[in-house]
Amino acid sequence: MNLFRSGEHVDFWLGGRHPGATIPVRKLSELAFAWWCDRVEPDWRPHTREQNQAILDGVGLTGDFWRLA
Amino acid sequence: MDEQDIRLRNLTYGLFVRLGRAPTAAEVAGELGRSRVEVLEAWRRLHDAHALVLEQGGDSIRMANPFSAVPTAYRVEADGRWWYANCAWDAFGICAALGADGRVECSCPDCGAPVAVEVRDERADQDDLVFHTLVPARRWWDDIVFT
């Protein structure tokens, strides 16, 4: 899970390997704030898989690659 | 993960933030008034439930996601400290977890050029950078260190 200067740099880095998923850094930031915002709260509760899937869906990360199960 | 384990997990995370590093089992035991062995047993259950990640051997923390207990390629300045993140996603996650603006520093894995992103009001200040993940979501925990 890495940050690259551009999609072209991802392609060079992959070097022919099968790509995973690429998203803009601003989408990543949106996802991170939705996913991690409660992690150090003193009354944190475990997320269910359904809750986590809803976060991915909510920021538009849909499709088979982003399915948790 | 029962209620006692969740409480211990939350105290472990709280100590991580307070200390700026992963707490030892002895430090968590001291806070809770429990034995070090009891803490290690609880950490193992939390590891199995993907609530944190232990080093091989199981007596210290490797990841309290999004925080890394070991140096990585992703450094984050947030809330007056520098932190290590496990990956690019976790780097922004540290700002999210702390509820703070911050700065993410790393290098492009392709060319090695330095990359720095400011995070303000939950937004990255750049739009040319991209994030790539090789591993599909359903396999993230097959090997979380590789992911």
Side-chain angles (χ1 to χ4, degrees):
Chain A
M1 293 186 167
N2 287 309
L3 201 58
F4 294 81
R5 292 173 66 196
S6 69
E8 189 176 37
H9 283 268
V10 175
D11 293 339
F12 278 122
W13 178 76
L14 284 168
R17 285 180 293 170
H18 191 271
T22 301
I23 63 175
V25 67
R26 284 190 173 154
K27 176 65 70 181
L28 172 65
S29 183
E30 182 184 358
L31 169 63
F33 273 85
W35 189 275
W36 298 113
C37 62
D38 63 345
R39 295 305 164 116
V40 300
E41 290 179 1
D43 56 353
W44 174 87
R45 306 287 304 175
H47 293 192
T48 65
R49 180 178 292 162
E50 290 73 23
Q51 286 173 310
N52 285 334
Q53 192 67 61
I55 291 171
L56 293 168
D57 293 346
V59 298
L61 297 176
T62 57
D64 186 63
F65 187 91
W66 296 102
R67 301 303 304 174
L68 291 165
Chain B
M1 221 183 321
D2 65 16
E3 291 300 321
Q4 281 202 333
D5 285 351
I6 292 171
R7 179 166 172 259
L8 188 144
R9 177 268 181 212
N10 290 346
L11 188 137
T12 300
Y13 268 65
L15 272 177
F16 201 124
V17 171
R18 194 199 317 165
L19 298 171
R21 61 165 173 80
T24 65
E27 288 169 333
V28 174
E31 288 278 327
L32 275 175
R34 292 164 69 176
S35 73
R36 178 177 175 275
V37 169
E38 288 176 308
V39 170
L40 290 174
E41 289 171 350
W43 277 0
R44 169 53 61 181
R45 291 190 293 273
L46 291 165
H47 172 98
D48 291 342
H50 300 167
L52 49 73
V53 179
L54 298 178
E55 291 281 14
Q56 284 192 337
D59 62 355
S60 62
I61 293 171
R62 168 70 179 261
M63 302 176 183
N65 310 70
F67 303 95
S68 172
V70 298
T72 70
Y74 289 91
R75 294 205 323 142
V76 182
E77 185 278 323
D79 204 21
R81 276 200 171 112
W82 282 96
W83 311 86
Y84 287 110
N86 302 295
C87 64
W89 181 0
D90 286 7
F92 291 91
I94 287 175
C95 295
L98 296 175
D101 292 341
R103 176 181 175 87
V104 175
E105 292 186 355
C106 58
S107 60
C108 175
D110 172 50
C111 67
V115 172
V117 187
E118 299 287 337
V119 181
R120 294 286 177 269
D121 298 326
E122 304 187 6
R123 285 175 57 86
D125 74 340
Q126 300 184 42
D127 54 14
D128 50 344
L129 305 174
V130 297
F131 167 77
H132 183 82
T133 174
L134 278 171
V135 181
R138 67 172 57 86
R139 295 181 52 201
W140 284 343
W141 281 94
D142 290 0
D143 181 348
I144 191 61
V145 174
F146 175 76
T147 296

